[in-house]
Amino acid sequence: MKKAYLLLADGTLFEGVSVGAEGAAIAEIVFNTGMAGYQEVLTDPSYYGQAVCMTYPLIGNYGLNAEDFESRKCWVSGFIMREACAYPSNWRCDRSLDAYLKKEGIVGLAGIDTRRLTRILRSSGVMNGIIYSEGNEPDEATIAEMKAYKVTGAVKAVTISEPEVYPATDADESSYRVALLDFGVKRNIQRELCARGCEVTVLPAHTDPQEILGGGYDGIMLSNGPGDPAENTEIIENLKVLTASGMPIFGICLGHQLLALSIGAQTHKMRFGHRGVNHPVKDLAHDRTYITSQNHGYAVVGETVDPQIARVSHININDNSCEGIEHLNAPIFTVQYHPEVKPGPQDTAYLFDQFISLMKDKKGGDQ
């Protein structure tokens, strides 16, 4: 097997074997603690510009299948694991991890001490790195480029270019029309809404707010997505218009962060973020804790949420970071985690029902 390497910005070098495509890839190196879900990780647009280290030691054992893709392509810049399974076994499997990475042109690395790498990232924070296969060694200029690398323009890179409409899968007379702003949306968000009788129109991230407000929608969904939320100044200004409209709004992950910025709160970059399926989050209003799936490197600074406008509704049990906000004067709420993933497995699905309820109340009040 051909050798491959990971060189971190601090000079640490890992040697392993090549998986997937051969070549070199510069990225921000992050880790995910999920024991399963590597296919969802690979196709989650929120990982744009990042190479993901999976902390679970065996990856690829159940293969991949087309039905479980979360988006139209693979978004990670590189993929790192302790052991890559060469012979997957699952009745739904239609391709191996290695074959998929090769097809998508993703440089992979296996056979390294992922525990050591994770400990470095936890103590020093996420850092840049370059994954390269033998024969693609970086020169000094490439190493300098790696050290200066920054994920920018992420939302523009992952959002769709034209609207896409998805019919309700359980439509009836009380169905709703939802405008879903695509900041890097995962398909499960759309599926959860369609399963509740919603017709979902997925819109490009920078859609004019007046087009949305004049589109006959009953509610607005703000999706997950990659990158620094604060750099999306145009979207933040658009959200100020939408929040003032009285339209029901539900934000997830990046959507949560952008909504918070639109009402005057601040965000900050975390040391190593939250990426996994076992993060405990407390719903403050109901005094209940849920196990959640998360993928974010930035967080809303809870102390900067104006108490005259909104309240912090959820907090992370591990580090007390803000995990949700609720607007006090409008039908708007957000969460940092991913209720559509449902590691519980149904624990936080009630949030979609809450959004449906807000649209029902608004629709009833308009009649």
Side-chain angles (χ1 to χ4, degrees):
M1 299 181 72
K2 180 165 283 192
K3 289 184 178 180
Y5 305 86
L6 166 64
L7 176 63
L8 296 178
D10 67 356
T12 304
L13 181 67
F14 292 84
E15 178 183 320
V17 295
S18 177
V19 179
E22 295 182 14
I26 292 172
E28 181 181 65
I29 312 300
V30 302
F31 65 88
N32 183 291
T33 58
M35 295 176 65
Y38 52 83
Q39 175 171 336
E40 288 80 359
V41 168
L42 290 168
T43 55
D44 182 350
S46 295
Y47 283 110
Y48 173 84
Q50 298 175 329
V52 183
C53 170
M54 301 299 292
T55 63
Y56 189 70
L58 179 63
I59 301 297
N61 54 312
Y62 54 86
L64 294 88
N65 71 87
E67 290 184 8
D68 289 346
F69 290 146
E70 284 287 0
S71 65
R72 63 187 181 275
K73 58 169 287 186
C74 182
W75 291 103
V76 302
S77 296
F79 203 52
I80 305 165
M81 64 218 97
R82 178 68 182 89
E83 180 181 350
C85 179
Y87 303 100
S89 176
N90 185 279
W91 67 275
R92 300 178 69 234
C93 170
D94 59 32
R95 69 203 76 183
S96 70
L97 175 61
D98 181 63
Y100 178 71
L101 293 178
K102 280 185 169 68
K103 179 178 180 296
E104 294 288 321
I106 303 302
V107 180
L109 172 65
I112 73 163
D113 185 347
T114 51
R115 180 176 175 82
R116 178 183 172 223
L117 173 57
T118 302
R119 288 171 67 89
I120 290 173
L121 299 179
R122 281 184 61 87
S123 61
S124 300
V126 297
M127 68 176 74
N128 294 341
I130 179 168
I131 304 173
Y132 58 95
S133 53
E134 193 174 6
N136 296 273
E137 288 75 12
D139 56 20
E140 290 186 6
T142 304
I143 292 174
E145 179 186 353
M146 175 266 286
K147 291 181 178 180
Y149 176 77
K150 186 177 181 181
V151 179
T152 59
V155 171
K156 288 184 179 180
V158 303
T159 191
I160 58 173
S161 57
E162 298 292 336
E164 298 175 357
V165 180
Y166 297 89
T169 55
D170 186 24
D172 55 33
E173 293 182 0
S174 62
S175 60
Y176 304 94
R177 297 187 66 231
V178 175
L180 172 50
L181 279 169
D182 175 20
F183 306 138
V185 68
K186 294 169 65 181
R187 287 176 178 166
N188 258 351
I189 295 176
Q190 159 205 314
R191 292 179 185 127
E192 288 291 332
L193 293 171
C194 290
R196 287 167 169 78
C198 298
E199 177 191 273
V200 178
T201 302
V202 183
L203 297 169
H206 297 82
T207 299
D208 188 301
Q210 296 304 330
E211 179 181 335
I212 298 173
L213 296 177
Y217 299 108
D218 300 303
I220 302 168
M221 190 88 208
L222 310 178
S223 84
N224 61 291
D228 181 353
E231 79 168 11
N232 298 285
T233 54
E234 179 184 346
I235 295 174
I236 293 168
E237 290 302 312
N238 290 346
L239 290 181
K240 290 179 181 180
V241 177
L242 296 177
T243 56
S245 70
M247 184 86 76
I249 300 176
F250 178 18
I252 291 175
C253 196
L254 181 63
H256 153 76
Q257 297 165 7
L258 293 172
L259 194 286
L261 288 168
S262 76
I263 62 171
Q266 298 174 14
T267 56
H268 74 105
K269 187 169 185 178
M270 308 172 80
R271 177 181 289 274
F272 49 82
H274 297 156
R275 298 176 181 89
V277 295
N278 60 347
H279 291 266
V281 170
K282 185 174 184 179
D283 181 333
L284 297 177
H286 300 95
D287 194 29
R288 293 192 62 181
T289 298
Y290 300 95
I291 300 302
T292 69
S293 174
Q294 304 202 10
N295 171 21
H296 61 106
Y298 290 81
V300 173
V301 181
E303 295 78 11
T304 66
V305 176
D306 187 341
Q308 301 298 314
I309 299 176
R311 68 176 185 88
V312 174
S313 58
H314 297 71
I315 60 169
N316 189 289
I317 295 297
N318 290 333
D319 59 14
N320 288 318
S321 59
C322 175
E323 291 277 359
I325 60 174
E326 183 176 359
H327 203 289
L328 300 179
N329 305 304
I332 298 170
F333 70 101
T334 68
V335 291
Q336 179 63 76
Y337 54 92
H338 288 264
E340 81 283 357
V341 178
K342 302 181 292 188
Q346 301 291 338
D347 288 7
T348 56
Y350 75 92
L351 293 169
F352 288 100
D353 298 327
Q354 182 176 326
F355 181 49
I356 299 295
S357 180
L358 290 178
M359 289 191 290
K360 180 179 179 180
D361 291 345
K362 181 66 167 60
K363 199 169 186 177
D366 290 342
Q367 294 175 348

